[in-house]
Amino acid sequence: MYSPARRTALVFCGTGAHGAYHAGVLHALQEAGVKIDVVAGHGAGAGAAMLAAIDGGARLWEPDGIWRSSQPEHFYGWTRRVQIAGGLILLLTIALVTPLLFVLAGMNIPGIVSRLALIVIVAIVLVLAGGMLVSRWRPSAGKRRAEGGWWWGLLGAPFDVERARRAFSDTIWQLIRGAAREAGPPRGAAGRRYAEVLAENLGQPGFRELMIIATDLDSRSDVIAAMLREPYRHDFIAPRPGRERRAEVLDLAGVGREYALDVMNAALTPPLACEAHLVAYAPDGYWRGETHRLCDRPGSIVRLFGELAAAGVSQVIAASAVPSGAAPHRLRALRLDIRSRLGEFITTTESASLHDASDFARVNFDSFFLICPSHNPVGPFDVTGAYDEASDRRHSTQELMERAYEDAYHQFIEPVVGASGEHLAHPVIGRPGASAGQTHGQGILNDADPQR
């Protein structure tokens, strides 16, 4: 059973366009006055948590906020190098096909066509060669040298995450800059300023403790950044058997305060689809000035729950745009575009991770609640919306945010907060291993709950 007297964490789970669902849930919980002690998240949820921690959650759903504006339409677009490569391939195709058409038509190939085709082919070769040389040997601060795989150095990952990073970073800077008029300082300075603002106001209305997570590809471990009040901060950074905490923990109230925006930017970076975020560690730190590659890991929710349990959290409210469960005879036509394929993998990984996290939560928390949709056609990379076969229409991210607002009321605020003083029993439907005897405190609320 939910109790406002317990230490409560709100956890945002999801990547990319699923951040719109986080905005709707946060809007409803804040409007209803639900007490939240700690906000946490991975993926796009890390950005929502960063804003919610400094009383800036409204910047997610306001008329000119991140998920109400046109900014998300440009999140995770094709990289410039992929666009150029596509244009060059089109020119090369035209240059090769045009002479062939003359031959098939039984006509003599004009000299001008042959010369133009030759010029196009030579230009493409020069551009590709020049791009390869520039991408391989151009010095750039913060970038690591690469060996082999010249084709990856030339094209790289298909999607550009920079606009998503900039949208959240700029919004945060507008909230914390105070009298400063500069557009935005380096990430280290902005992260330090964020940590200072949060530390100074921790405990004030609207300000909450923070925990976000990303994955370090070079150390092959997770990186957890947190701002916690005592005594939980001491327990968070304390050594643990079998773990090198200095390698995976960034205390935003201490020496790790410069990395707040770095970890958020890394969490906003989906794996494989985008180039990993590069973080240059301090020379006097554990990593001795090394530059590491960080990104999101959809399965990191279990690790995040473990860290929250160690930080004294006794009840968790999780928000995820992944539907609550599958049912027979709901197969749909396959989407063959790369955005859908990558999005399906990420969504499936997150769904499996939520199952594991739910099992962990039932054992380690007094109460656990999951707010999620019964159906959601919008994938992590569907920032411009997605067509839904079930309703035969297109769904947008703004509609996803509005649905999250309703889900939060129907699945948590009305049945849980409204009856928090009563002992309720909810049969859990739609999740493997659920039984009718599970109590409300350990149940998962979804659209199939009979008390909705």
Side-chain angles (χ1 to χ4, degrees), residues 32 175 227 400 443:
L175 292 170
M227 171 76 74
L400 179 63

Side-chain angles (χ1 to χ4, degrees), residues 2 11 22 190 352 367 404-405:
Y2 170 78
V11 183
H22 305 153
S367 304
Y405 179 88

Side-chain angles (χ1 to χ4, degrees), residues 1-2 365-369 424 426 438-443:
M1 184 172 62
Y2 170 78
F365 298 118
D366 295 336
S367 304
F368 172 62
F369 310 96
L424 301 177
H426 285 266
Q438 286 179 298
T439 64
H440 169 75
Q442 294 181 334

Side-chain angles (χ1 to χ4, degrees), residues 81 135 146 148-158 272-275:
R81 287 183 291 183
S135 64
W150 60 267
W151 47 271
W152 186 266
L154 181 61
L155 295 178
L272 300 177
C274 304
E275 294 288 355

Side-chain angles (χ1 to χ4, degrees), residues 374-447:
S374 60
H375 175 67
N376 176 27
V378 179
F381 298 109
D382 294 328
V383 289
T384 58
Y387 170 75
D388 177 35
E389 290 182 344
S391 58
D392 192 26
R393 63 184 181 85
R394 193 169 186 83
H395 290 242
S396 66
T397 54
Q398 292 197 22
E399 184 176 350
L400 179 63
M401 179 168 57
E402 293 165 0
R403 190 184 313 144
Y405 179 88
E406 296 173 357
D407 287 344
Y409 266 98
H410 294 160
Q411 298 176 23
F412 181 75
I413 295 171
E414 293 172 357
V416 178
V417 177
S420 60
E422 303 174 10
H423 180 74
L424 301 177
H426 285 266
V428 183
I429 302 175
R431 287 285 186 179
S435 63
Q438 286 179 298
T439 64
H440 169 75
Q442 294 181 334
I444 297 177
L445 301 178
N446 54 44
D447 287 345

